[in-house]
Amino acid sequence: MLWVLRPLLLALLLLATLVAAADLYKVLELDRSADERDIKKAYKRLSRKFHPDKNKDPGAEDKFVEIAHAYEVLSDQTKRQIYDRHGEEGLKAHEGGGGQQYANPFDMFSSFFGGGHAQQQVRRGPTSLTEFEVTLADIYNGASIDFVMRKRILCDHCRGTGAASTNDIHACTGCGGSGVRIVKQQIFPGMFAQTQNTCNECGGRGTVIGRKCPHCGGNKVMDHTAHYTLEVAKGMPEGYEVVFDGEGDESPDWEPGDVVLRVRSRKETGGFRRKENSLYWKETIGIDQALLGFERNLTHLDGHVVQLKRSGVTQPGKSSGHALLMLNDLLAGFVQTIKGDGMPRFENPIQYGDLYIEYNVVLPTELSPDLRKKLSEAFYGSGHSSKDEL
């Protein structure tokens, strides 16, 4: 009986090992086929997102430590191979049978982003700022918007060296690999001045390329169309800047800068207008509705229906700003306020501002004799003449 169960037990043990081996990949939101570049990019994105100085959510620090450990293992080729085959237990055995020995995640973060002494002079590429327009409905409801952006990335083939292979990279003979040349110049007999100039043969790099990379033509970078998703939060303020860390142009000479999207609502004629947490709507009514009252339905930005109801005389409203609303009322212009139907508050999206309805009364272009007579009798009595008075 035991020999029958043994293959099943071995299969279950192997399955458990594979599940355990996938955990660190899940921490970095990667699959097992991820390459070195994918691992580095995932660590860069997630470590910034969950760094305790930036993310104050409960559990963010623990997540930051997990991300650092996952990167420490998967970025090391030897550790990754052991982990893929034997899981965490295999790593423990490889490290001498002790407990898990995490590297200091904050030191790792500092070193990765140029905070250590050895990396203090790492250059950072430029940050790009783009005005990004969305609909007011997207800001009201919240939305995930996919978009593409052209950028430059390191060549996949040469990884930014510009050479067809590593064997095609040679030390510059003009400077001996130092990138600079020492030039002696005689000032007068017996006295020389010594200057240090950038080597003109290698451009100061210290290396020259024998055969250029066929994929990028030796340019080291290539054009790339990158796909992104912008998460628009409910009630996001006008001009709010969303930062995509490290998604700027890549170069072998610098760390990529950021991409910043400045989000604004698209101007639309005849639609809702926004001012901070308030919404404004202009409703057009006829003279009969202004005098006799009316009931209408207004479809809001999320599809729910707002009932507009007036039983008395409605004066036309002329202002659209908070400061003028009370003054407008005093001047007999009517602006209807509907509480809680404005924009969601960004800091607390379950709370809403107010909706202001401004009424635009349209007068008829001409009156028929019969209608003129009836209006004259209604306003002035039956004995009043309905003839035009100039």
Side-chain angles (χ1 to χ4, degrees):
M1 186 65 179
L2 185 59
W3 65 272
V4 176
L5 294 175
R6 185 174 296 170
L8 179 60
L9 292 173
L10 289 174
L12 290 174
L13 181 61
L14 178 60
L15 178 61
T17 301
L18 290 175
V19 170
D23 287 347
L24 294 186
Y25 290 97
K26 290 179 180 178
V27 169
L28 293 182
E29 300 177 2
L30 297 169
D31 57 41
R32 294 171 61 83
S33 63
D35 59 19
E36 181 182 350
R37 180 186 175 193
D38 295 330
I39 294 168
K40 184 177 181 181
K41 190 172 182 179
Y43 173 74
K44 180 189 298 184
R45 175 175 57 85
L46 294 171
S47 62
R48 281 176 165 170
K49 180 179 179 181
F50 290 98
H51 195 288
D53 290 346
K54 181 178 181 181
N55 192 326
K56 303 300 182 183
D57 293 341
E61 186 168 354
D62 292 339
K63 182 70 173 177
F64 178 74
V65 172
E66 288 181 8
I67 291 166
H69 174 61
Y71 176 71
E72 177 195 3
V73 173
L74 299 183
S75 63
D76 184 298
Q77 187 174 1
T78 302
K79 289 184 179 181
R80 182 178 179 182
Q81 289 177 351
I82 294 171
Y83 178 77
D84 286 345
R85 293 182 180 179
H86 308 292
E88 292 278 6
E89 294 302 319
L91 281 176
K92 291 179 183 178
H94 173 71
E95 292 167 358
Q100 288 181 331
Q101 310 204 352
Y102 290 16
N104 186 314
F106 296 96
D107 289 346
M108 182 183 298
F109 182 88
S110 178
S111 176
F112 187 93
F113 289 102
H117 295 297
Q119 312 239 347
Q120 202 80 27
Q121 303 301 318
V122 172
R123 292 177 58 199
R124 187 157 172 80
T127 293
S128 68
L129 176 63
T130 302
E131 299 284 339
F132 197 97
E133 289 191 343
V134 300
T135 65
L136 191 55
D138 288 333
I139 300 179
Y140 184 89
N141 298 301
S144 296
I145 301 175
D146 295 328
F147 67 97
V148 297
M149 184 178 64
R150 296 283 292 175
K151 59 184 285 188
R152 287 183 168 266
I153 63 171
L154 295 180
C155 174
D156 289 332
H157 180 75
C158 67
R159 300 303 305 142
T161 65
S165 69
T166 55
N167 295 328
D168 292 301
I169 304 174
H170 311 289
C172 175
T173 56
C175 62
S178 66
V180 294
R181 280 182 165 181
I182 307 300
V183 179
K184 279 186 174 183
Q185 185 177 11
Q186 184 175 357
I187 301 176
F188 49 82
M191 182 172 288
F192 294 85
Q194 186 171 284
T195 59
Q196 181 175 289
N197 300 322
T198 300
C199 178
N200 57 1
E201 291 187 28
C202 65
R205 291 184 297 271
T207 58
V208 292
I209 297 173
R211 189 163 56 98
K212 293 182 179 180
C213 171
H215 292 263
C216 65
N219 294 320
K220 305 180 182 180
V221 294
M222 302 177 68
D223 289 331
H224 174 69
T225 301
H227 295 259
Y228 299 94
T229 300
L230 170 65
E231 297 294 340
V232 181
K234 287 186 176 182
M236 181 178 283
E238 294 289 331
Y240 187 84
E241 294 184 353
V242 179
V243 180
F244 291 81
D245 293 327
E247 292 297 335
D249 287 334
E250 297 179 4
S251 168
D253 301 324
W254 63 59
E255 190 73 23
D258 299 332
V259 171
V260 180
L261 298 186
R262 184 175 290 160
V263 182
R264 299 188 185 278
S265 59
R266 188 177 302 127
K267 303 301 180 185
E268 297 176 349
T269 304
F272 285 92
R273 306 185 313 282
R274 177 194 189 185
K275 183 170 184 180
E276 298 175 352
N277 294 322
S278 300
L279 281 176
Y280 296 86
W281 176 265
K282 183 167 287 187
E283 184 73 13
T284 299
I285 58 176
I287 186 66
D288 55 332
Q289 295 167 320
L291 295 174
L292 304 175
F294 61 90
E295 289 187 16
R296 283 188 179 181
N297 290 331
L298 170 64
T299 303
H300 211 298
L301 292 168
D302 63 348
H304 81 271
V305 175
V306 178
Q307 187 179 48
L308 305 181
K309 184 177 181 179
R310 292 289 297 159
S311 56
V313 175
T314 301
Q315 298 285 354
K318 297 180 181 179
S319 73
S320 60
H322 289 300
L324 294 178
L325 287 177
M326 292 182 63
L327 176 61
N328 194 63
D329 287 338
L330 292 173
L331 295 175
F334 179 74
V335 177
Q336 184 178 2
T337 301
I338 302 177
K339 295 288 186 181
D341 259 319
M343 290 294 294
R345 300 182 184 277
F346 182 59
E347 66 278 4
N348 187 1
I350 63 173
Q351 296 181 355
Y352 289 76
D354 298 331
L355 170 62
Y356 297 93
I357 309 295
E358 303 170 59
Y359 289 101
N360 179 37
V361 180
V362 177
L363 300 177
T365 56
E366 59 182 33
L367 296 176
S368 67
D370 184 55
L371 181 57
R372 177 181 289 277
K373 180 180 179 181
K374 290 180 179 179
L375 288 174
S376 178
E377 291 176 351
F379 286 116
Y380 307 117
S382 59
H384 191 274
S385 174
S386 61
K387 294 181 179 180
D388 292 336
E389 296 181 3
L390 299 178

